[in-house]
Amino acid sequence: DGNDLRQLIVAYARQHLQNIPRELYNSNIGPWVRAYMDGNEGKEWAWCMGFVQTILDQATSTIGRRFTEIMPHSYSCDVAGNHGLKEKRLHRNVNLRNNPNLIKPGDVFLNRKTQYDWVHTGIVIGVEGDWLHTIEGNTNDEGSREGFEVCLRRRNFQANIIDIYKVM
């Protein structure tokens, strides 16, 4: 059921975090990047969505499903965001600010720059007040969208424009 999927997503994200996945040379290169990006690497291969979809793939495969039932296979935050809007899976930040109980562990966050431009993503592992606890790839301790590792982060959804892509 949905709770099992959500728990699996969080568990797989935590498992990846424990393995300290990092780039080599801070330029989207290395075995972890290739694993998340289906063999691709290099400056043009921002890998935050590749990380998210790897986690979704592992969790859904465990229960005999495909992650493409949740979102299309793409490395683009924009593709996921627009699909979420079309399929009514995306909760916009304005709604979340008034109704934070819509956010659940296992959901996917998308940092939004403009109405249809999302620039970074990761997995929500918890919600505490105005804060999302996340695990995300291609970031760093400062929260960059072009970092070099998988990190545990905290993001304030009241102070930032963060949308939530529902996995269920």
Side-chain angles (χ1 to χ4, degrees), residues 23-44:
E23 297 175 1
L24 304 176
Y25 321 115
N26 295 347
S27 53
N28 298 339
I29 292 173
W32 284 103
V33 175
R34 290 190 301 273
Y36 295 137
M37 300 299 288
D38 298 318
N40 298 297
E41 66 179 351
K43 279 276 187 218
E44 67 276 14

Side-chain angles (χ1 to χ4, degrees), residues 13-30:
R14 287 185 184 282
Q15 186 177 34
H16 279 255
L17 178 67
Q18 289 172 353
N19 285 293
I20 313 170
R22 301 181 81 142
E23 297 175 1
L24 304 176
Y25 321 115
N26 295 347
S27 53
N28 298 339
I29 292 173

Side-chain angles (χ1 to χ4, degrees), residues 71-130:
M71 71 174 54
H73 183 220
S74 172
Y75 309 118
S76 167
C77 292
D78 292 348
V79 167
N82 283 306
H83 181 79
L85 285 173
K86 186 179 120 208
E87 298 297 318
K88 304 204 180 334
R89 285 184 176 266
L90 193 77
H91 289 295
R92 291 293 198 159
N93 184 255
V94 67
N95 298 330
L96 299 171
R97 288 178 178 185
N98 297 323
N99 206 354
N101 61 336
L102 292 171
I103 309 168
K104 304 283 187 230
D107 285 336
V108 174
F109 80 85
L110 289 161
N111 282 355
R112 183 163 37 99
K113 185 175 177 183
T114 64
Q115 187 173 3
Y116 300 106
D117 182 20
W118 295 269
V119 296
H120 185 63
T121 188
I123 305 288
V124 175
I125 62 165
V127 184
E128 182 181 354
D130 296 347

Side-chain angles (χ1 to χ4, degrees), residues 22 26 111 120 136 138-149 151-155 160:
R22 301 181 81 142
N26 295 347
N111 282 355
H120 185 63
E136 48 198 84
N138 202 26
T139 192
N140 56 28
D141 289 339
E142 290 76 45
S144 169
R145 70 185 199 103
E146 234 344 301
F148 59 91
E149 63 187 334
C151 285
L152 186 63
R153 302 270 313 128
R154 283 177 20 125
R155 294 189 178 269
N160 297 285

